[in-house]
């Protein structure tokens, strides 16, 4: 399983390579936040919510397209949902053999620091986690 973030190719490459090597399917999970105005009741119907969900799902499909072409033997299941990344990744990882997440490479005076999603999954996911640095 891989958590998909926009612009993070290194975790996708790692996850696809692992899935190909072990001849297993890959679940790609993209978690997104609903636009803030949804919480204020400014949306009259579900069409805007649905439209936003469709755009996020299409973005996931597009992010996976080059990797699917490169790793044609890997079966990919796409999952795009709104929510808190740590919660959804933790739930989705149940039964997985590995969770791959990215970690944005930043230089800090006292060394690298894990972001909130990386930190959260490391402490809550019951399966091995591969943290792959990306730019």
């Amino acid at each position: 399983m891989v958590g998909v973030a926009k612009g993070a190719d290194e975790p996708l490459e790692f996850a696809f390579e692992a899935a190909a090597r072990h001849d297993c399917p890959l679940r790609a999970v993209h978690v997104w936040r609903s636009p803030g105005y949804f919480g204020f009741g400014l949306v009259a119907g579900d069409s805007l919510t649905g439209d936003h969900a469709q755009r996020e799902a299409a973005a996931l499909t597009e992010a996976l397209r080059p990797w699917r072409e490169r790793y044609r033997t890997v079966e990919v299941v796409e999952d795009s949902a709104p929510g808190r990344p740590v919660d959804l990744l933790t739930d989705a990882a149940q039964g997985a053999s590995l969770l791959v997440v990215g970690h944005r490479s930043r230089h800090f005076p006292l060394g690298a620091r894990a972001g909130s999603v990386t930190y959260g999954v490391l402490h809550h996911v019951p399966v091995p986690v591969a943290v792959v640095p990306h730019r």
Side-chain angles (χ1 to χ4, degrees):
M1 188 183 121
V2 61
V4 180
K6 293 177 183 172
D9 286 337
E10 293 86 348
L12 287 172
E13 182 176 19
F14 185 96
F16 270 88
E17 182 63 34
R21 189 176 325 114
H22 296 286
D23 192 28
C24 63
L26 176 62
R27 183 175 181 188
V29 178
H30 170 60
V31 182
W32 47 275
R33 295 184 191 271
S34 297
Y37 56 80
F38 286 175
F40 294 108
L42 299 177
V43 178
D46 289 335
S47 64
L48 287 178
T49 305
D51 290 346
H52 187 74
Q54 288 176 343
R55 284 192 301 275
E56 292 292 341
L60 174 60
T61 299
E62 183 59 26
L64 296 174
R65 185 183 51 74
W67 301 105
R68 283 184 151 165
E69 291 173 2
R70 185 172 171 188
Y71 294 92
R72 294 186 183 274
T73 61
V74 175
E75 176 189 342
V76 180
V77 177
E78 295 182 26
D79 189 1
S80 177
R84 293 185 57 225
V86 173
D87 294 341
L88 292 177
L89 289 172
T90 298
D91 290 344
Q94 301 299 320
S97 58
L98 176 68
L99 170 61
V100 179
V101 294
H103 172 62
R104 182 165 282 127
S105 296
R106 295 184 183 139
H107 298 288
F108 293 101
L110 300 175
R113 295 189 307 194
S116 60
V117 174
T118 302
Y119 184 84
V121 298
L122 285 171
H123 286 82
H124 298 290
V125 173
V127 300
V129 178
V131 180
V132 180
H134 66 88
R135 295 185 184 266

